[in-house]
Amino acid sequence: MELPRFVIGAAEAESMAKEAGLTSLVQLLPILVASAQKLARPPISNYHVGAVGLSSDGRIFLGVNLEFPNLPLHHSVHAEQFLFNNAAANSAPDLRFLAVSSAPCGHCRQFLQEIRNSTDLQLLITDNQNDSNFKPLSQFIPHPFGPNDLLHKDTPLLLEPHDNGLILDFNLSNGYTRDNPNLENSALQAANGSHAPYSGCPSGVALMDCEGKIYRGSYMESAAYNPSLGPLQAAVVAYVAGGGGGYEKIVEAVLVEKTGAKVRQEDTTRLLLRLISPQCAFRVVHCGCPSSVCRKASNLCE
């Protein structure tokens, strides 16, 4: 069985466009939106949203909406968030064009502000049969509030390299041992790539499925706070994009976040995991910058 693909390489994208008789990759995006919609997981609304983006390196990224029953709606992942998380996880340098199945909500229009030169991002809404032209984000949010209002101009933005300088110090006494170094290191890598310039509280989650495959996700903040994407949701995006099946196949999870963080992910992560994969073993690694000592607390989803 062929797994769903959420990343299309540049060479393959060019080939697909040529076979379809298209003159540019941009024209391919709206054609792929319907296929993306079929990959969405919205068991609450049954409203499938698909998003397809093009990077300057020629790669195409897909995004879909995810909903989680028995949880508040704000735990949902919007298709545009999925797409940008997918692009960031695959080191896309940027996103220039974005085709979506329906008009982005205010939540997503705000989230899109987190990239460099966001007002130049070109959007196309495919369910608008009367307009097939891409338009700049500035037409969808004419009076934006975003990174330029709160951050220094040299601060790395979404889709730009981040290194938060977190380390894990396991030189502890009393016979301390690491349970799953690969999973913990993956969560650390995600935390170090986290976009958290507003709170200064980066975090990352790594998930392992029943086959031993690891998927990681980085916390992504928004200048408006509420559209921020939690690290577990980001890891679930990686799981879905990586061909993961039912969430019950997630058997182990590790969260890395700073000791004493003002914005803590532990309780929210535990709640979401408990409901989507009740048997998942969950551990938290509290960590700081190199001068700090990291400590670890082990827990199980109850």
Side-chain angles (χ1 to χ4, degrees):
M1 178 180 177
E2 184 178 354
L3 295 175
R5 294 186 304 148
F6 286 84
V7 181
I8 300 174
E12 183 178 0
E14 286 282 1
S15 178
M16 292 172 65
K18 184 176 181 180
E19 290 179 4
L22 305 176
T23 58
S24 73
L25 287 177
V26 174
Q27 295 174 313
L28 184 60
L29 302 188
I31 296 176
L32 296 174
V33 167
S35 296
Q37 285 181 273
K38 296 177 182 178
L39 302 175
R41 300 187 183 188
I44 299 173
S45 68
N46 291 315
Y47 188 77
H48 292 241
V49 182
V52 182
L54 175 65
S55 173
S56 62
D57 63 9
R59 286 183 294 167
I60 291 176
F61 299 90
L62 276 61
V64 300
N65 58 320
L66 307 176
E67 297 170 356
F68 308 102
N70 303 314
L71 283 166
L73 294 177
H74 68 262
H75 288 282
S76 303
V77 177
H78 296 230
E80 293 87 342
Q81 289 180 310
F82 188 119
L83 189 153
F84 272 76
N85 184 85
N86 184 24
N90 287 280
S91 302
D94 52 31
L95 284 172
R96 300 287 182 83
F97 294 87
L98 175 63
V100 293
S101 58
S102 55
C105 66
H107 181 105
C108 290
R109 298 182 196 201
Q110 180 62 55
F111 188 78
L112 296 178
Q113 297 294 320
E114 291 303 315
I115 64 172
R116 188 79 59 186
N117 301 318
S118 61
T119 55
D120 296 331
L121 176 66
Q122 300 293 310
L123 272 69
L124 172 66
I125 302 169
T126 62
D127 69 356
N128 184 354
Q129 302 298 324
N130 298 321
D131 191 349
S132 60
N133 296 315
F134 282 84
K135 297 180 179 179
L137 180 59
S138 58
Q139 290 195 23
F140 294 84
I141 182 167
H143 303 291
F145 171 81
N148 292 339
D149 296 289
L150 299 176
L151 303 177
H152 187 275
K153 62 181 180 64
D154 295 328
T155 302
L157 300 183
L158 198 61
L159 300 184
E160 296 178 349
H162 288 64
D163 183 1
N164 294 310
L166 301 176
I167 63 170
L168 305 181
D169 183 0
F170 291 100
N171 296 319
L172 304 178
S173 56
N174 300 323
Y176 177 84
T177 59
R178 298 179 65 177
D179 298 292
N180 191 332
N182 289 337
L183 198 61
E184 291 158 1
N185 289 335
S186 185
L188 174 65
Q189 186 175 353
N192 275 322
S194 172
H195 175 65
Y198 307 107
S199 70
C201 301
S203 59
V205 164
L207 305 174
M208 187 174 72
D209 66 13
C210 56
E211 297 179 355
K213 297 179 181 178
I214 294 177
Y215 312 86
R216 66 174 180 267
S218 302
Y219 174 48
M220 295 181 174
E221 286 187 340
S222 161
Y225 286 19
N226 283 359
S228 300
L229 183 69
L232 177 56
Q233 281 90 335
V236 170
V237 165
Y239 176 76
V240 173
Y247 300 132
E248 74 280 355
K249 295 182 179 180
I250 300 171
V251 298
E252 192 171 352
V254 170
L255 164 69
V256 167
E257 64 180 346
K258 282 184 176 181
T259 301
K262 292 182 179 179
V263 176
R264 297 175 63 247
Q265 306 292 339
E266 180 177 347
D267 293 336
T268 299
T269 301
R270 178 178 288 108
L271 172 64
L272 179 53
L273 273 174
R274 182 185 300 140
L275 291 173
I276 68 173
S277 186
Q279 302 305 313
C280 173
F282 175 50
R283 300 191 308 282
V284 182
V285 178
H286 291 116
C287 186
C289 293
S291 60
S292 303
V293 175
C294 303
R295 61 185 179 84
K296 176 178 176 179
S298 297
N299 298 279
L300 292 178
C301 297
E302 299 176 354

